[in-house]
Amino acid sequence: MIPAFETYLRTNTDLSDEALQQITATTMTRTLQRNELLLQEGQICRHKTFIANGLLRTFGVREDGTEHIIQFSPEHSWTLDVESYDRQTPTSFNIAAIEKTDVLLWTKADFEYLLHTIPALKNLSQELISRNIYNSRQRIFTSISATPEEKYEDFIRTYPGLLQRLPLHMIASYLGISLKTLTRIRHTQVHK
Amino acid sequence: MIPAFETYLRTNTDLSDEALQQITATTMTRTLQRNELLLQEGQICRHKTFIANGLLRTFGVREDGTEHIIQFSPEHSWTLDVESYDRQTPTSFNIAAIEKTDVLLWTKADFEYLLHTIPALKNLSQELISRNIYNSRQRIFTSISATPEEKYEDFIRTYPGLLQRLPLHMIASYLGISLKTLTRIRHTQVHK
DNA sequence: GGAAAAAGTGGTCATTTGACCATATTTTGT
DNA sequence: ACAAAATATGGTCAAATGACCACTTTTTCC
């Protein structure tokens, strides 16, 4: 799993072998089983996480018990609860594996040290945060303005590889529509 | 308008008078009339904006002509189209005044220089960006999980001062519901 | 101050959505 | 390999939503 991460870094930065070595020397690896939690509501998020293989979901649970997914994190992406991590306060979200997932983890102190000593990593990190901000804004815009069908089409266009890997109820949850509405949309599209 | 900005900075940072002077020396001021555009779809966002007095809205327009508001910016807040500003690419959003509004503007080069030379300003800026990220995530969660009534209640709780300053159709647009639904909700609440 | 524009609300109706249940198929786990 | 669990879809129905129109009130603009 570390060779995959090194390939990822070489593809996305011009880090030296020494820097790569420094980064991977401070990481911990962990394998999550399907449905196993990486982070649970009420906990403090203490790690920056890179998904080497697999798929995670970040979700909140309302008082009525319903789960609403705000983010999927497939391999070769990073995840964490940024507010809990920054402020070291308990999170109100959960992060769980949708399928068996291998992750790399760095403590906040270790990762901040790496950012401080490896400018290319800091640049990569900053670029990913920026892109996250742009995507969030687009997500808000789509969420308040699109029809359920347009949301599904946007999802397929944006994450074509995720469709086969997710149960429909999770996609519906992520889009903020019901499973029934989603299957109606799919039926209509198949018969167009 | 600059004294108000200086009060804002003194309240939120421990900047020296010299730093304050440096910041205000590089700003431009502008007054927007009601409904006047600060930024228009297709333009490049070239300024960081502080709202000294008044109220702005950031919105997108769909192909069918409908306007969907993703953000309100009252006095003593900052705004810009961050993606257009960072990448110097044309924006797909608009920023307009809801009422007569006084703003302070810095070019990207000037503001980056200020961030570089005034650590307290950089810290303030970073803190505001972080808070923006947390709020956006909460907004996404509310948007996909809450009923229209819960969205309205959340809006009132989060921005109590804005209710009187906005027409209902703008609040409905921001919440992603119709004016009809919003007036139904208000009717039901009044008669509870 | 007054005309025009905008806003707020109520009525009506068609459409859409979501909940619940049942059935068949697929996937998971041992 | 097979039983159990999970998923996907269809049917049904009630509730919610949004569009359109009309009227009254409030705000804006000159």
Side-chain angles (χ1 to χ4, degrees), chain B residues 161-174:
Chain B
L162 291 189
L163 187 58
Q164 270 66 53
R165 296 171 70 186
L166 294 166
L168 293 179
H169 70 84
M170 286 191 183
I171 298 176
S173 168
Y174 175 85

Side-chain angles (χ1 to χ4, degrees), chain A residues 70-111:
Chain A
I70 59 173
Q71 178 179 324
F72 294 112
S73 308
E75 54 280 311
H76 304 169
S77 70
W78 302 77
T79 196
L80 83 178
D81 181 303
V82 65
E83 185 170 1
S84 178
Y85 178 88
D86 284 348
R87 295 175 163 174
Q88 293 292 286
T89 52
T91 180
S92 50
F93 291 97
N94 308 266
I95 304 180
I98 292 174
E99 59 194 48
K100 191 181 176 212
T101 300
D102 301 314
V103 296
L104 305 179
L105 302 157
W106 293 262
T107 63
K108 188 174 199 270
D110 282 347
F111 203 80

Side-chain angles (χ1 to χ4, degrees), chain B residues 61-108:
Chain B
V61 179
R62 302 219 352 159
E63 325 79 79
D64 66 356
T66 55
E67 168 182 315
H68 298 273
I69 295 169
I70 59 174
Q71 179 178 322
F72 295 111
S73 308
E75 55 280 309
H76 304 166
S77 69
W78 302 77
T79 196
L80 82 179
D81 182 303
V82 64
E83 185 171 1
S84 178
Y85 178 87
D86 284 347
R87 294 175 164 175
Q88 293 292 286
T89 52
T91 180
S92 50
F93 290 97
N94 308 267
I95 303 180
I98 292 174
E99 61 195 46
K100 191 179 174 212
T101 300
D102 301 314
V103 297
L104 304 179
L105 301 158
W106 294 262
T107 64
K108 188 174 197 270

Side-chain angles (χ1 to χ4, degrees), chain A residues 1-126:
Chain A
M1 109 161 68
I2 287 185
F5 177 59
E6 287 181 339
T7 300
Y8 162 84
L9 283 184
R10 286 202 176 89
T11 303
N12 289 275
T13 71
D14 56 359
L15 286 167
S16 68
D17 285 354
E18 187 176 71
L20 284 172
Q21 172 56 31
Q22 194 184 347
I23 297 168
T24 55
T26 51
T27 189
M28 290 161 281
T29 64
R30 183 175 163 186
T31 295
L32 295 149
Q33 300 307 319
R34 187 164 168 274
N35 287 325
E36 186 177 354
L37 286 163
L38 175 68
L39 180 71
Q40 182 162 24
E41 176 177 353
Q43 290 177 341
I44 291 174
C45 182
R46 300 188 188 280
H47 298 93
K48 184 95 165 181
T49 306
F50 178 80
I51 298 93
N53 291 294
L55 180 55
L56 301 179
R57 68 186 190 279
T58 302
F59 62 97
V61 180
R62 307 234 331 172
E63 326 80 76
D64 66 355
T66 55
E67 168 182 314
H68 298 272
I69 295 169
I70 59 173
Q71 178 179 324
F72 294 112
S73 308
E75 54 280 311
H76 304 169
S77 70
W78 302 77
T79 196
L80 83 178
D81 181 303
V82 65
E83 185 170 1
S84 178
Y85 178 88
D86 284 348
R87 295 175 163 174
Q88 293 292 286
T89 52
T91 180
S92 50
F93 291 97
N94 308 266
I95 304 180
I98 292 174
E99 59 194 48
K100 191 181 176 212
T101 300
D102 301 314
V103 296
L104 305 179
L105 302 157
W106 293 262
T107 63
K108 188 174 199 270
D110 282 347
F111 203 80
E112 282 175 355
Y113 178 76
L114 291 172
L115 290 176
H116 194 69
T117 54
I118 308 177
L121 181 66
K122 187 172 176 67
N123 288 344
L124 172 64
S125 184
Q126 203 56 45

Side-chain angles (χ1 to χ4, degrees), chain A residues 129-186:
Chain A
I129 291 170
S130 293
R131 208 176 294 167
N132 220 307
I133 292 170
Y134 312 154
N135 291 345
S136 290
R137 192 183 59 162
Q138 192 56 48
R139 175 106 191 259
I140 289 171
F141 183 71
T142 300
S143 180
I144 64 170
S145 70
T147 64
E149 182 166 356
E150 289 165 339
K151 287 171 181 170
Y152 180 58
E153 287 165 354
D154 182 64
F155 177 83
I156 293 177
R157 187 185 319 121
T158 310
Y159 309 105
L162 291 189
L163 187 59
Q164 270 66 52
R165 296 172 71 186
L166 293 166
L168 293 179
H169 72 85
M170 285 192 185
I171 297 175
S173 168
Y174 175 86
L175 299 178
I177 64 179
S178 73
L179 173 58
K180 184 64 183 168
T181 295
L182 183 53
T183 57
R184 275 199 190 104
I185 289 165
R186 284 162 56 87

